[in-house]
Amino acid sequence: MESVISERVFDLAVIGAGPAGTSAAITAARAGFHVVLFEAGSFPRHKVCGEFISGEAVPILHSLLADAGLLAGAPRIHNARIFLDGRRADFAVTPAAISLSRHDLDLNLWNSALGAGVHGRARTRVIAIKTIESLFSISTEGETIHARAVINATGRWSNLASPKGVNAEHWIGLKQHFFEDDPSPRCDLYFFSGGYCGVQSVGTGTINAAAMVRSDVGRNLAAVFQQNPDLAKRSRIWRAAIEPVATSPLLFSTPRTSNSGTFLVGDAAAFLDPFAGDGISIALHSGQLAAITIAPYLRGECSLQEATDRYDRAYRDLLQPALKAAARLRYLLHLPKALRLAALSLIQFPPLSRLAVETTRVRKVA
């Protein structure tokens, strides 16, 4: 059951209840602040996501989730495999990652937020944010409330942030769960010209297939599967477990940490290449980081601008290196075939493969 709002002025309003938003809301509420969390949709729900959670993100999830059993029962991923240009490369995943459906993860984070005292408002779309003296005025489709600070966790494409520009190419995100007999314990990445598809077990005989693809290459997973021979062969025996989910456009842009006084977290700040495997981790860490750096302002120890500047510096120190490393890896995929194969061979050496993975990881916030 959702919390009942008894007051109209909050210390903090968080808009968007994915991993970034709930991380921010839980952290702020546990610090003693009065927090409201808006979510346009409802729970449980499926979201386009690789559902790969790096080992570096597991400790923060343990700290946020009230239900520790959710992580204990999640499949562990110790290895990853890349299929590219008819070649295959294997990598160790250390520390081991976990695989967890966003259907379960987001619901549990939402419940943890409510348990921490956050005032949750599901099925409530925020349509405008304005500043009135020292407060933010937040308008939904049914009411207006006020908050001293706002964290925007609405994702990469929102009516609440000024446009980031568009890519020259139109990219689509696709996802669906399938039943597969004896699914692999690895995370398998199938690359092709114009995109890639990641496949991994999410438990109980079910796998998640998540793709990022140019719209001129494929607009559904059936078309994506045909782009890689190994994937086409494997997918022939799959049976649909859920309806497909899609999102577009996928925008790659320079990270922005604030907009008109609001803090930007998760994909609202920057979109991490999904194949780097640390998107959920960066969402969780950026949400927690925003809540930590906004706390001094809410306690009256600094101005909002000073808190915004601190968040920007901390974000760039702790999170932006992973974004840059992921962009470099994406660049390798656009090299001529001979150079791609050479790069693939090189990074199979354990020291280089560890370096490639480690540079895309976020290790701590505080």
Side-chain angles (χ1 to χ4, degrees), residues 236-285:
R236 289 184 193 126
I237 61 171
W238 290 348
R239 304 176 306 282
I242 66 170
E243 292 298 313
V245 186
T247 185
S248 69
L250 304 181
L251 302 176
F252 300 99
S253 59
T254 302
R256 294 190 308 154
T257 58
S258 64
N259 180 61
S260 300
T262 66
F263 286 51
L264 303 180
V265 299
D267 282 353
F271 178 53
L272 180 71
D273 302 64
F275 72 84
D278 216 34
I280 291 178
S281 176
I282 285 186
L284 294 168
H285 280 95

Side-chain angles (χ1 to χ4, degrees), residues 221-246:
L221 284 173
V224 167
F225 296 160
Q226 300 309 308
Q227 303 303 314
N228 183 292
D230 293 294
L231 179 58
K233 180 179 179 181
R234 180 178 177 181
S235 65
R236 289 184 193 126
I237 61 171
W238 290 348
R239 304 176 306 282
I242 66 170
E243 292 298 313
V245 186

Side-chain angles (χ1 to χ4, degrees), residues 71-85:
L71 298 183
R76 261 48 184 178
I77 300 174
H78 296 273
N79 301 94
R81 180 174 292 178
I82 289 178
F83 296 83
L84 172 67
D85 295 325

Side-chain angles (χ1 to χ4, degrees), residues 127-188:
I127 57 177
I129 303 173
K130 299 178 181 179
T131 54
I132 300 177
E133 297 181 351
S134 61
L135 294 177
F136 289 90
S137 175
I138 300 151
S139 299
T140 71
E141 293 169 335
E143 64 178 335
T144 297
I145 69 160
H146 297 88
R148 297 170 58 206
V150 174
I151 291 177
N152 182 342
T154 55
R156 62 192 165 275
W157 195 251
S158 170
N159 63 304
L160 301 179
S162 56
K164 299 180 182 180
V166 296
N167 298 335
E169 299 173 323
H170 188 92
W171 291 84
I172 300 172
L174 303 164
K175 165 195 158 173
Q176 191 169 7
H177 287 183
F178 296 90
F179 293 112
E180 181 182 63
D181 297 332
D182 193 25
S184 166
R186 299 180 307 269
C187 175
D188 293 328

